[in-house]
C-alpha cells in the first residue's frame, strides 16, 4: 500500500499542479479529494501549456486512472468543457472516474455566491464566484444534488425542486433568470448525465482495490492549509478542508492508507482574495515578485498579493498536515534579490510577539511578520538539476527553511518546465522520488 497526499501548505497557488503532474508519472492513480473549479493549475509540457480546473493533474498520462473523489464539488458544464478541450488536443481521458457521491454545482449556487459577495460589500471574502460555498452549504444542509442523481430524471427534478424551495427568498431578484427554470435546469443536467455516465463510478472502492494491490495512489489537494474552513484564516477561507486529513474523507480511504504527505510551498507567499496576510509586501518589491512570478490567478486572472515566505504559517501547516516532505516551488523567482526575507515570528498589537500561528481572528488581523534577512544570489537557477548546481546562498536558504519547519525538502522548482526541478537526497527516500530521481 502506498498512499501519498499532496497538499498546499500556504494560501493555494503553490504550484501543486506541476508537482502532482511530475509525481503522477510514478503513481498508478491520482485522486482529487476536495474543492472544485475554484482551483486552477497550470502544467507546462514542452511548448504546450495546460490550464486545468477540475481534472486531476495526472490526466496528461494516457489512460492513467484519474479520479474526482466524493469530496469534490463539480460544475458539470466546466468538467465537460475540460474533457472536450483535452480530447480535442489529443489527450486520452478514458481513465477518468467521477464519484457518484460527489456534489454538483447548480446554476443557483453561482447566483448565490455572487449575491453573497455583493451583500458583504467591503467585507467580502473575494471568492472565485464559482458557487463553491453555496454548494458545500447545500451538501451540509442535505439539500445537495449528487452526480448519481443525474442518472434519474424524476429523482433529479424532485431534488432540484426541494433544493430551490428554501432559497426562494434569496433567489427572488433572479426570478426571471432562465437558468433557474426547474424544467430547463433538469433537462440541462440530464444531458450532462448522459455525457458523463461512462465515467461515473464507486471511486472509494477503486482506491481501495489499488491500495490493497500495493499500487501507488496520489491524493491531490486543492487550495491550501491557510484556506481550510476549520484551520485557516476564517472567514477568509474556502468552504472545504484542503488539509491532508480531508484526503481520507474526500476519497473514502482511512488514515492508515496514507504513508507520505507532501506539502507544497512557494519560496515566497501569495494569496488572492481578502483576509490577513502578515508578510504582505506593498510597493515595488511586492510588484516585482508578482511580475517575475507571473502571479495572476489561473481561475480568475486576479493579481495575487505577494509577500515573504511566512515560516510561522508554514510551520503551522506542517503540523496540521503532519508533512513528511516539503516541495519548494519557484525558487528561481527570487534570483537577483540582494537580501531575502523570511518571517520567523509575528508582532501583534501592543508589540506582543507570537512564535505560533495565533488562533484568534482579531490578533491575526493585526499581526505583521518580523523577518530575518538571508543573503540572496544573482545566478539564474533555470538550468540547475542537482543540489550542487544551486548557488551556495540558495542552498543556505533551503537549509534554513527545512530546519525551521522541521521537515526535509524533497524537491525544488527552478522554472515552469516539468524538467526544471532539483531532487534532493531527502526526495530520493520518498516512495515516488526513488524512481523519479533516478529516471
Ligand atoms: P471560494 O473557494 O471560491 O469560495 O473562495 C474563497 C477564498 O478562497 C477566496 O479568497 C479565494 O480567492 C480563495 N481560493 C479558492 N480557491 C483558490 C485557489 O485554488 N487558489 C488560491 N485561492 C483560492
Amino acid at each position: 500500500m502506498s498512499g501519498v497526499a499532496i497538499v498546499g501548505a500556504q494560501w493555494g497557488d503553490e504550484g501543486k499542479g506541476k508537482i502532482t503532474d511530475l509525481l503522477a508519472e510514478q503513481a498508478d492513480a491520482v485522486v482529487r479529494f476536495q474543492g472544485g473549479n475554484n482551483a486552477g493549475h497550470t502544467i507546462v509540457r514542452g511548448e504546450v501549456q495546460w490550464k486545468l480546473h477540475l481534472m486531476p493533474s495526472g490526466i496528461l498520462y494516457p489512460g492513467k486512472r484519474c479520479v474526482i473523489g466524493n469530496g469534490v464539488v463539480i460544475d458539470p458544464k466546466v468538467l465537460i468543457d475540460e474533457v472536450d478541450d483535452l480530447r480535442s488536443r489529443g489527450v486520452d481521458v478514458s481513465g477518468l472516474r467521477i464519484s457518484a457521491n460527489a456534489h454538483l454545482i447548480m446554476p443557483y449556487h453561482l447566483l448565490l455566491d455572487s449575491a453573497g459577495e455583493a451583500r458583504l460589500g467591503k467585507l467580502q471574502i473575494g471568492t472565485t464566484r464559482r458557487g463553491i460555498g453555496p454548494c458545500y452549504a447545500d451538501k451540509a444542509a442535505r439539500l445537495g444534488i449528487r452526480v448519481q442523481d443525474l442518472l434519474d430524471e424524476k429523482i433529479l427534478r424532485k431534488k432540484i425542486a426541494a433544493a430551490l424551495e428554501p432559497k426562494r427568498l434569496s433567489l427572488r431578484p433572479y426570478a426571471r433568470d432562465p437558468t433557474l427554470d426547474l424544467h430547463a435546469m433538469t433537462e440541462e443536467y440530464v444531458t450532462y448525465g448522459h455525457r458523463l455516465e461512462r465515467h461515473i463510478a464507486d471511486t472509494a472502492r477503486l482506491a481501495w482495490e489499488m491500495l490493497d494491490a500495493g499500487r501507488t495512489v496520489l491524493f491531490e489537494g486543492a487550495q491550501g492549509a491557510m484556506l481550510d474552513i476549520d484551520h485557516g484564516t476564517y472567514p477568509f477561507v474556502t468552504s472545504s478542508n484542503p488539509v491532508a486529513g480531508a484526503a481520507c474523507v474526500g476519497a473514502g480511504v482511512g488514515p492508515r492508507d496514507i504513508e507520505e504527505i507532501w506539502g507544497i510551498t512557494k519560496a515566497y507567499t501569495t494569496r488572492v482574495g481578502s483576509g490577513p496576510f502578515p508578510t504582505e509586501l506593498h510597493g515595488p518589491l511586492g510588484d516585482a515578485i508578482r511580475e517575475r512570478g507571473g502571479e495572476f490567478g489561473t481561475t480568475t486572472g486576479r493579481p495575487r498579493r505577494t509577500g515573504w515566505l511566512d515560516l510561522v504559517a508554514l510551520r503551522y501547516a506542517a503540523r496540521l498536515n503532519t508533512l513528511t516532505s516539503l516541495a519548494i516551488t519557484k525558487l528561481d523567482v527570487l534570483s537577483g534579490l540582494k537580501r531575502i526575507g523570511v518571517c520567523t515570528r509575528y508582532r501583534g498589537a501592543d508589540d506582543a510577539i507570537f512564535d505560533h500561528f495565533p488562533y484568534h481572528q482579531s490578533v491575526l488581523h493585526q499581526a505583521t511578520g518580523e523577518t530575518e534577512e538571508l543573503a540572496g544570489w544573482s545566478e539564474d537557477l533555470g538550468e540547475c538539476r542537482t543540489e550542487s548546481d544551486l548557488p551556495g546562498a540558495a542552498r543556505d536558504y533551503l537549509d534554513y527553511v527545512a530546519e525551521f519547519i522541521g521537515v526535509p525538502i524533497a524537491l525544488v522548482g527552478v522554472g515552469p518546465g516539468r524538467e526544471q526541478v532539483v531532487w534532493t537526497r531527502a526526495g530520493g527516500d520518498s516512495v515516488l522520488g526513488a524512481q523519479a530521481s533516478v529516471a
Side-chain angles (χ1 to χ4, degrees), residues 11-13 38-40 125-129 132 223 227 237-238 272-273 302:
W11 277 275
D13 306 319
N38 48 350
I125 293 157
T127 74
T128 59
R129 302 190 180 218
I132 307 295
Q223 292 86 44
L227 289 173
V237 293
T238 192
V272 280
R302 289 182 288 180

Side-chain angles (χ1 to χ4, degrees), residues 32 35-40 51-54 72-79 81-82 103-117 125-136 189 223 238-239 297-302:
R32 264 202 65 179
N37 62 313
N38 48 350
K51 286 188 189 290
L52 304 174
H53 296 282
L54 267 166
V72 175
V73 287
I74 300 173
D75 185 328
K77 184 172 183 322
V78 173
L79 181 58
D81 284 349
E82 235 165 78
H103 281 248
L104 293 168
I105 294 180
M106 306 298 291
Y108 43 86
H109 293 140
L110 298 171
L111 297 173
L112 291 170
D113 198 354
S114 291
E117 286 286 86
I125 293 157
T127 74
T128 59
R129 302 190 180 218
R130 301 296 192 264
I132 307 295
C135 184
Y136 277 117
Y189 274 65
Q223 292 86 44
T238 192
S239 296
T298 314
T299 300
T300 58
R302 289 182 288 180

Side-chain angles (χ1 to χ4, degrees), residues 76 104 106-108 145 149-162 164 178-194:
L104 293 168
M106 306 298 291
Y108 43 86
I145 315 292
D149 299 325
L150 295 175
L151 305 178
D152 186 322
E153 183 169 348
K154 247 169 78 186
I155 290 181
L156 179 64
R157 181 173 289 112
K158 265 196 197 157
K159 289 197 175 182
I160 296 177
L164 281 171
T179 64
L180 289 185
D181 177 76
L182 175 63
H183 297 288
M185 199 188 315
T186 308
E187 266 176 37
E188 182 190 346
Y189 274 65
V190 164
T191 313
Y192 296 148
H194 292 317

Side-chain angles (χ1 to χ4, degrees), residues 393-404:
R395 285 202 303 260
D396 289 347
Y397 182 77
L398 296 173
D399 288 346
Y400 187 98
V401 172
E403 193 172 321
F404 193 99

Side-chain angles (χ1 to χ4, degrees), residues 33-34 69-72 139 204 241 243-255 258:
F33 60 85
Q34 46 70 232
N70 56 276
V72 175
K139 174 178 178 176
N241 294 104
V243 294
C248 298
V249 182
V253 301
I258 300 181

